[in-house]
Amino acid sequence: MMTGGLNKIARFNMDTQEILNTIRELKKPFDVARVKPRPQANKTLHYIDARDVMARLDSTVGPLNWQDEYNEVMGRVVCTLRIRFGDEWISKSDGADDTKIEGAKGGLSDAFKRSAVKWGVGRYLYYLPNTKELPSWADPDSGKWTNELADRI
């Protein structure tokens, strides 16, 4: 179970359970139709579109309670994704290079998605087996996704 920073939340004007529920919502698997396989070097990676991440943020915290900002650091695009909890904005950042397929646009999208993973959005995709098919626990309609699983990922 997540406990680390949750003991120190008085300044957020939210109770611990409300914050935990928000983080669990961010971590939920996406509809399997939104998850796309991509063969890459003898394995299959699964990914979601940046618009899926935006929709998850909008539906979970509301469109006025998250912000993204982009900077260049050592030739890489870094996205800082902020989410408001109560009165406090909390930031997490990650970066990416330009992509071979979409150049700078792909780099912006990848940096955004990577920063969202730090909030738990799509993080489960990194735990999938190396197969084209998704396991049942990664299907939100299967009923196999649990709060305990969300807390471990």
Side-chain angles (χ1 to χ4, degrees):
M1 179 155 176
M2 292 178 37
T3 56
L6 292 179
N7 296 334
K8 303 174 183 175
I9 62 163
R11 70 176 188 249
F12 298 130
N13 295 325
M14 298 173 75
D15 76 10
T16 303
Q17 194 60 49
E18 187 178 1
I19 291 173
L20 184 58
N21 289 342
T22 299
I23 293 170
R24 286 174 174 165
E25 281 296 312
L26 289 169
K27 288 182 173 184
K28 279 187 176 178
F30 287 86
D31 183 280
V32 294
R34 308 299 311 165
V35 179
K36 301 160 189 84
R38 177 186 299 146
Q40 186 173 3
N42 298 326
K43 59 184 174 180
T44 301
L45 302 177
H46 292 84
Y47 69 98
I48 51 175
D49 190 277
R51 286 174 291 280
D52 296 318
V53 175
M54 292 176 210
R56 173 63 54 88
L57 290 165
D58 285 349
S59 67
T60 303
V61 300
L64 299 179
N65 293 313
W66 68 272
Q67 304 172 344
D68 54 335
E69 178 181 330
Y70 300 86
N71 293 294
E72 184 179 339
V73 177
M74 296 171 42
R76 291 182 169 83
V77 176
V78 174
C79 175
T80 299
L81 180 58
R82 293 179 187 84
I83 296 178
R84 183 179 7 216
F85 288 93
D87 297 329
E88 189 87 18
W89 286 93
I90 307 299
S91 303
K92 297 191 181 201
S93 302
D94 207 334
D97 291 320
D98 290 353
T99 64
K100 293 177 184 175
I101 298 169
E102 295 185 299
K105 179 179 173 260
L108 291 166
S109 176
D110 284 355
F112 175 68
K113 291 188 291 183
R114 290 175 62 89
S115 63
V117 166
K118 290 190 172 183
W119 285 103
V121 180
R123 185 181 295 166
Y124 74 99
L125 297 170
Y126 290 90
Y127 294 88
L128 296 176
N130 184 16
T131 61
K132 188 176 179 182
E133 299 299 317
L134 295 174
S136 59
W137 62 263
D139 179 351
D141 294 330
S142 73
K144 294 187 177 182
W145 182 262
T146 64
N147 286 339
E148 292 76 22
L149 185 55
D151 293 344
R152 285 196 322 246
I153 291 181

